Amino acid sequence: MATFRCASCRMDVSMHAPGTAHRNHCPSCLGSLHLDRRVPGDRDAGCGGRMEALGVTVRDDGEWLLIHECRRCGVLSANRIAGDDNALALLRLAMRPLSGSRLTI
Ligand SMILES: [Zn+2]
Ligand SMILES: [Zn+2]
């Protein structure tokens, strides 16, 4: 099974995630890499910077989205959370209000 190594906490992460077709972040520290440009999985960004979880937001339909910011180019992206994401880390982010939300979903 395909795995990737988390650039932030060095955990080996399985690409298979419950609840989402493309795992794009680490379920432990919620870190990610700037690989996708528009569609999750397109691997088209050409940046490769480390993306840090900035916060979570809840869509109208109740789905949780994780907001990532690229430490290299500063881009923001919203990603669906996976079924086995670290609930404590998610809650910690949820408690932290997005500072001056530059993001429109
Ligand atoms: Zn990690
Ligand atoms: Zn980037």
Side-chain angles (χ1 to χ4, degrees):
M1 192 185 289
T3 61
F4 67 91
R5 163 114 359 136
C6 174
S8 304
C9 71
R10 307 261 157 228
M11 189 171 102
D12 284 315
V13 182
S14 161
M15 292 298 281
H16 177 78
T20 178
H22 297 281
R23 187 197 295 282
N24 49 26
H25 57 269
C26 171
S28 171
C29 71
L30 307 180
S32 184
L33 284 177
H34 190 193
L35 298 175
D36 302 332
R37 191 161 55 183
R38 301 201 60 81
V39 192
D42 67 10
R43 296 294 184 258
D44 211 17
C47 171
R50 228 170 76 185
M51 299 192 81
E52 209 168 274
L54 208 63
V56 292
T57 185
V58 184
R59 269 192 342 206
D60 289 344
D61 59 7
E63 183 163 39
W64 282 43
L65 297 173
L66 192 56
I67 311 299
H68 280 116
E69 182 180 42
C70 179
R71 307 308 274 173
R72 184 176 288 174
C73 71
V75 81
L76 291 175
S77 76
N79 296 293
R80 294 168 63 181
I81 64 169
D84 59 353
D85 280 350
N86 185 335
L88 208 64
L90 286 172
L91 279 178
R92 211 173 286 142
L93 283 173
M95 300 295 177
R96 201 168 68 184
L98 281 176
S99 49
S101 182
R102 287 169 286 160
L103 190 76
T104 45
I105 298 171

